[in-house]
Amino acid sequence: MTDLPTAGRFEGREHRLPVRVYYEDTDFTGLVYHANYLRYFERGRSDFLRVAGVGHAELLADDQPLAFVVAEMAVKFLKPARIDDALVVRTLYQRVKGPRLMIEQAILRGDETLCAATVTAVCIHLDGRPRRPTPALLERIGPWLEAAD
């Protein structure tokens, strides 16, 4: 659970990943192309796991390989990001229910929320069937999940 300089850091339960907007991220208007917000969210979810000590390669190399797929995502585009903007991707893994992980994310420029997403990711076998997270995975992400009711 170390902070990796390029993988962001935890502030309480929240993972924060700095992202810079490059020319390649924008469309002809100089605004971030809408699909790139989804890429930023993916980086936030992946780096949350990386900083929590969960590596995707490690999950795949296990005797019972595990991967994640996005089953549902609701996105609200609130304000545009522009070239050279310094953004932060905030990621909160809220809870685990069976094979599902419920995640809240936001992309900010300073204190201003530009885009927000509610994500349901599902743990799967490599054949695509859902499976519950392993005890080792739950142990690593457990400190960042919201407390049970």
Side-chain angles (χ1 to χ4, degrees):
M1 289 188 287
T2 59
D3 284 351
L4 304 171
T6 60
R9 68 184 186 289
F10 282 104
E11 291 185 13
R13 289 184 40 237
E14 183 178 273
H15 179 263
R16 291 178 164 251
L17 176 67
V19 174
R20 175 71 65 183
V21 176
Y22 294 104
Y23 180 76
E24 68 185 11
D25 298 323
T26 62
D27 59 19
F28 72 96
T29 67
L31 303 177
V32 170
Y33 181 66
H34 71 280
N36 287 326
Y37 291 96
L38 304 185
R39 291 177 189 267
Y40 300 155
F41 285 139
E42 174 64 31
R43 291 178 201 168
R45 292 189 305 276
S46 292
D47 280 340
F48 175 105
L49 293 172
R50 183 173 288 113
V51 177
V54 179
H56 287 288
E58 175 188 342
L59 293 173
L60 291 172
D62 194 55
D63 60 341
Q64 293 186 9
L66 171 73
F68 300 99
V69 294
V70 172
E72 187 175 334
M73 180 182 274
V75 181
K76 292 182 183 175
F77 298 96
L78 304 168
K79 295 181 179 185
R82 302 174 188 284
I83 193 165
D84 291 331
D85 278 354
L87 308 176
V88 173
V89 181
R90 288 185 2 202
T91 302
L92 275 167
Y93 275 62
Q94 297 285 31
R95 65 193 161 285
V96 175
K97 185 174 182 182
R100 296 183 307 277
L101 292 89
M102 282 53 121
I103 306 158
E104 295 292 327
Q105 293 189 278
I107 296 172
L108 293 91
R109 181 179 50 222
D111 293 332
E112 187 175 40
T113 301
L114 306 181
C115 189
T118 301
V119 182
T120 301
V122 177
C123 294
I124 61 166
H125 289 274
L126 294 186
D127 65 5
R129 290 180 299 139
R131 66 174 283 200
R132 291 182 181 271
T134 63
L137 173 60
L138 290 174
E139 182 180 323
R140 289 184 184 154
I141 67 171
W144 291 278
L145 299 175
E146 66 185 16
D149 293 335

